[in-house]
């Protein structure tokens, strides 16, 4: 069930909200838990049992770690192994078999497993819980309902952001519900929905149109790279906005997951702004335990390469994702060694162009269905495929989507947000506060009309 679906908007969410606010506080977690399990059941009935097993494993291991401190290392290792085995089996078994067949000339049959929705996200959440209990940063949760609510909470269950247990630990036991929080959450949800439905979906249609074109060109490939980079930003940041907004309505304060990444001037800064919950998770639970940058230079480079290789594979069981991760590892290492000093001396426009170039290439690698397609796309972008610079298809697509590209570019920058903040203290602020709810209602109606009329509504991060 997609957030950007009529089923969720008008048949799932309203009764959940009514029931949630109708029951006393002691029953709110149970309402959220049952609603979340039903939400997940609609998307993967069989794999709901896998989710419940993951929750039960984290619950039992948390109690064992807390109760038997002398053997805590054994129990946290058991928790990590079980979680990673489940993730590895369902996500990487066929990938491993296919590579063994290719390497050794075997003919082992593939398992053809369906990837459980959200397994990459909730696995990382259960891992962070047991590790934090082991480190003494969180108390073991005695209530199975509260821990289950944390892991299965439907706003962030399917595609994040990756919410740490320590972020919501106190709010699982007590949280305030205010009209201002509910209004903020509703507004944030509608804005995220608009990002997804009115921008990401249309950019996705452009990418589909590009792949089916009979007159490709160098310029068309670059337009595709720009379109996909913007699509995945609006798709995932829009989902994060919806998750954060829903969380606020229910009294939870999730951390931000995006912070205008395209205004960055370096890859280092880009990854402080893009998918923040994933980057900080790998930093705290993999990079720092490996020694981080407190080791010799060779080991430090190895740490960066390993972390980003794993980050790439986390996104999917394919070599193009691994290459994508190592690609970023290369630039991050180079920046930390000497490039950052050079970038800081360059004019802002040049350092910003460097970042955009690196990111556009990265998402071409990311979206390729194979290494061969990745090579073909990059060759075409740099004029190595005997393609014309432009074509009639290219010019038609550019004219037809010029407004969309302009809106997307403006939307990924903080210009409108800063303008709104500057007008707030002035006389126009009162008019803005009065018109904002009306504007959000109109935006919701437009999104609804598009969902009724349109059929193209994928969510990219479901496949991860």
């Amino acid at each position: 069930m997609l957030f950007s679906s009529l089923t969720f908007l008008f048949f799932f969410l309203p009764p959940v909200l009514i029931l949630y606010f109708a029951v006393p506080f002691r029953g709110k977690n149970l309402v959220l838990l049952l609603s979340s399990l039903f939400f997940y059941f609609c998307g993967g009935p069989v794999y709901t049992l896998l989710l419940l097993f993951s929750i039960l494993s984290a619950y039992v291991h948390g109690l064992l770690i807390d109760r038997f401190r002398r053997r805590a290392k054994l129990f946290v290792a058991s928790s990590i192994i079980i979680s990673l085995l489940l993730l590895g089996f369902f996500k990487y078994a066929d990938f491993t078999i296919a590579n063994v067949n290719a390497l050794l000339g075997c003919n082992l049959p593939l398992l053809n497993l369906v990837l459980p929705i959200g397994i990459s996200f909730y696995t990382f959440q259960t891992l962070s819980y047991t590790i934090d209990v082991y480190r003494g940063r969180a108390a073991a949760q005695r209530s199975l309902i509260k821990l289950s609510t944390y892991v299965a909470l439907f706003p962030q269950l399917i595609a994040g952001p990756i919410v740490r247990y320590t972020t919501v630990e106190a709010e699982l036991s007590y949280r305030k519900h205010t009209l201002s929080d509910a209004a903020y959450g509703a507004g944030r949800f509608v804005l995220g929905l608009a990002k997804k439905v009115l921008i990401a979906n249309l950019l996705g249609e452009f990418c589909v149109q590009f792949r089916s074109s009979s007159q490709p060109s160098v310029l068309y490939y670059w337009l595709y790279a720009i379109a996909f980079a913007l699509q995945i930003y609006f798709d995932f940041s829009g989902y994060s906005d919806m998750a954060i907004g829903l969380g606020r309505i229910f009294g939870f304060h999730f951390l931000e997951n995006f912070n205008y990444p395209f205004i960055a001037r370096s890859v280092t800064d880009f990854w402080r702004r893009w998918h923040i919950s994933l980057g900080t998770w790998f930093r705290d639970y993999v990079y720092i335990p490996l020694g981080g940058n407190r080791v010799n230079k060779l080991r430090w480079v190895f740490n960066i390469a390993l972390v980003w290789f794993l980050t790439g594979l986390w996104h999917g069981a394919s070599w193009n994702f691994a290459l994508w991760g190592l690609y970023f590892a290369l630039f991050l290492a180079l920046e930390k060694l000497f490039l950052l000093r050079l970038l800081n001396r360059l004019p802002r426009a040049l350092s910003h162009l460097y970042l955009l170039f690196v990111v556009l290439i990265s998402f071409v690698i990311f979206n390729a269905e194979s290494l061969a397609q990745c090579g073909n796309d990059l060759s075409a972008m740099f004029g190595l495929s005997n393609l014309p610079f432009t074509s009639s298809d290219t010019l038609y697509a550019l004219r037809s989507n010029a407004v969309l590209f302009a809106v997307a570019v403006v939307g990924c920058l903080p210009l409108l947000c800063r303008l709104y903040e500057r007008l707030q203290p002035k006389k126009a602020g009162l008019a803005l506060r009065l018109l904002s709810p009306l504007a959000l209602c109109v935006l919701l109606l437009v999104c609804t009309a598009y969902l009724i009329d349109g059929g193209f509504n994928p969510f990219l991060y479901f496949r991860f």
Side-chain angles (χ1 to χ4, degrees):
M1 193 188 310
L2 292 168
F3 285 177
S4 56
S5 69
L6 297 175
T7 302
F8 177 84
L9 292 173
F10 298 105
F11 296 98
F12 176 82
L13 187 58
V16 169
L17 289 172
I18 293 170
L19 185 59
Y20 177 81
F21 286 106
V23 302
F25 185 82
R26 64 179 179 273
K28 291 188 185 302
N29 283 339
L30 183 59
V31 169
L32 278 180
L33 174 58
L34 294 177
S35 302
S36 298
L37 291 177
F38 177 75
F39 176 84
Y40 194 82
F41 181 85
C42 291
V46 175
Y47 289 126
T48 305
L49 296 175
L50 181 64
L51 171 63
L52 291 172
F53 177 80
S54 297
I55 293 170
L56 185 61
S57 173
Y59 176 72
V60 172
H61 280 97
L63 293 178
L64 291 173
I65 292 167
D66 190 56
R67 176 68 178 82
F68 302 101
R69 277 292 165 184
R70 291 185 178 180
R71 299 181 180 179
K73 187 174 291 187
L74 173 65
F75 293 125
V76 75
S78 170
S79 171
I80 293 171
I81 290 169
I82 290 173
S83 296
L84 293 182
L85 281 177
L86 289 174
L87 178 63
F89 177 72
F90 285 100
K91 192 166 185 175
Y92 303 104
D94 280 347
F95 175 68
T96 303
I97 293 171
N99 280 282
V100 168
N101 287 341
L103 186 64
L104 302 180
C106 304
N107 194 27
L108 300 174
L110 298 178
L111 302 178
N112 294 316
L113 296 171
V114 177
L115 180 66
I117 297 172
I119 188 172
S120 298
F121 290 91
Y122 69 71
T123 297
F124 273 26
Q125 291 189 196
T126 56
L127 282 172
S128 69
Y129 165 70
T130 54
I131 293 172
D132 283 346
V133 172
Y134 170 75
R135 291 174 174 177
R137 295 177 180 174
Q141 179 55 256
R142 262 62 184 173
S143 169
L144 180 57
I145 289 179
K146 288 180 182 178
L147 185 67
S148 301
T149 301
Y150 156 66
V151 178
L153 194 59
F154 74 85
Q156 47 80 55
L157 170 63
I158 301 298
I162 302 170
V163 178
R164 307 275 186 95
Y165 177 73
T166 52
T167 301
V168 297
E169 181 179 8
E171 291 175 336
L172 288 167
S173 299
Y174 175 75
R175 53 190 180 271
K176 292 181 179 180
H177 298 88
T178 65
L179 186 59
S180 61
D181 272 350
Y184 172 84
R188 187 73 180 266
F189 179 87
V190 172
L191 288 175
L193 181 67
K195 279 185 176 182
K196 163 65 182 155
V197 173
L198 303 180
I199 301 180
N201 284 0
L202 295 179
L203 289 166
E205 290 180 358
F206 177 92
C207 293
V208 172
Q209 177 187 350
F210 160 77
R211 286 296 182 194
S212 62
S213 173
S214 60
Q215 296 181 353
S217 67
V218 173
L219 179 59
Y220 212 166
Y221 271 92
W222 281 99
L223 290 174
Y224 155 73
I226 295 169
F228 180 74
L230 291 170
Q231 180 197 1
I232 198 169
Y233 168 72
F234 282 102
D235 195 81
F236 193 27
S237 70
Y239 192 97
S240 294
D241 287 338
M242 288 187 275
I244 291 169
L246 287 172
R248 186 67 67 88
I249 293 172
F250 293 116
F252 293 97
H253 291 72
F254 301 156
L255 300 180
E256 295 295 334
N257 207 26
F258 287 84
N259 183 24
Y260 300 107
F262 290 116
I263 69 171
R265 297 173 58 193
S266 66
V267 173
T268 303
D269 189 30
F270 178 84
W271 276 103
R272 293 192 187 109
R273 298 170 176 273
W274 179 282
H275 204 342
I276 299 168
S277 62
L278 179 66
T280 54
W281 196 98
F282 272 104
R283 180 197 66 196
D284 293 344
Y285 298 106
V286 182
Y287 180 68
I288 292 177
L290 285 172
N293 59 2
R294 305 182 308 275
V295 293
N296 63 62
K297 193 166 291 186
L298 185 61
R299 175 58 187 272
W300 170 72
V301 171
F302 170 79
N303 290 347
I304 290 179
L306 178 60
V307 166
W308 282 93
F309 177 77
L310 295 175
T311 301
L313 282 183
W314 178 88
H315 283 85
S318 176
W319 286 115
N320 70 294
F321 290 118
L323 177 61
W324 176 81
L326 292 174
Y327 171 87
F328 273 120
L330 173 64
F331 280 96
L332 287 166
L334 290 174
E335 285 187 0
K336 292 181 190 301
L337 288 172
F338 66 89
L339 268 182
L340 275 179
R341 293 190 293 273
L342 175 62
L343 291 172
N344 289 334
R345 296 192 190 103
L346 289 176
R348 293 182 65 89
L350 290 180
S351 57
H352 186 63
L353 284 174
Y354 150 80
L355 180 278
L356 292 178
F357 176 81
V358 171
V359 167
L360 286 180
I361 299 301
S362 77
F363 282 121
V364 172
I365 299 171
F366 186 91
N367 199 41
E369 294 183 359
S370 64
L371 290 178
Q373 187 183 70
C374 173
N376 291 336
D377 289 348
L378 293 175
S379 296
M381 289 174 68
F382 291 98
L384 303 177
S385 299
N386 296 319
L387 292 176
F389 176 76
T390 188
S391 66
S392 57
D393 270 13
T394 306
L395 296 177
Y396 176 78
L398 183 58
R399 286 194 301 269
S400 303
N401 295 277
V403 174
L404 171 63
F405 275 85
V407 170
V409 169
V410 172
C412 72
L413 301 175
L415 300 174
L416 296 177
C417 184
R418 289 175 181 172
L419 178 62
Y420 183 84
E421 290 172 353
R422 287 183 181 180
L423 290 175
Q424 283 283 21
K426 299 180 180 180
K427 292 181 180 179
L430 178 60
L432 283 175
R433 285 191 291 272
L434 292 174
L435 290 175
S436 291
L438 178 60
L440 290 171
C441 289
V442 171
L443 204 54
L444 179 60
L445 287 174
V446 173
C447 291
T448 302
Y450 182 87
L451 290 173
I452 292 172
D453 185 58
F456 186 86
N457 190 29
F459 178 63
L460 297 178
Y461 263 72
F462 272 176
R463 66 185 183 184
F464 309 136

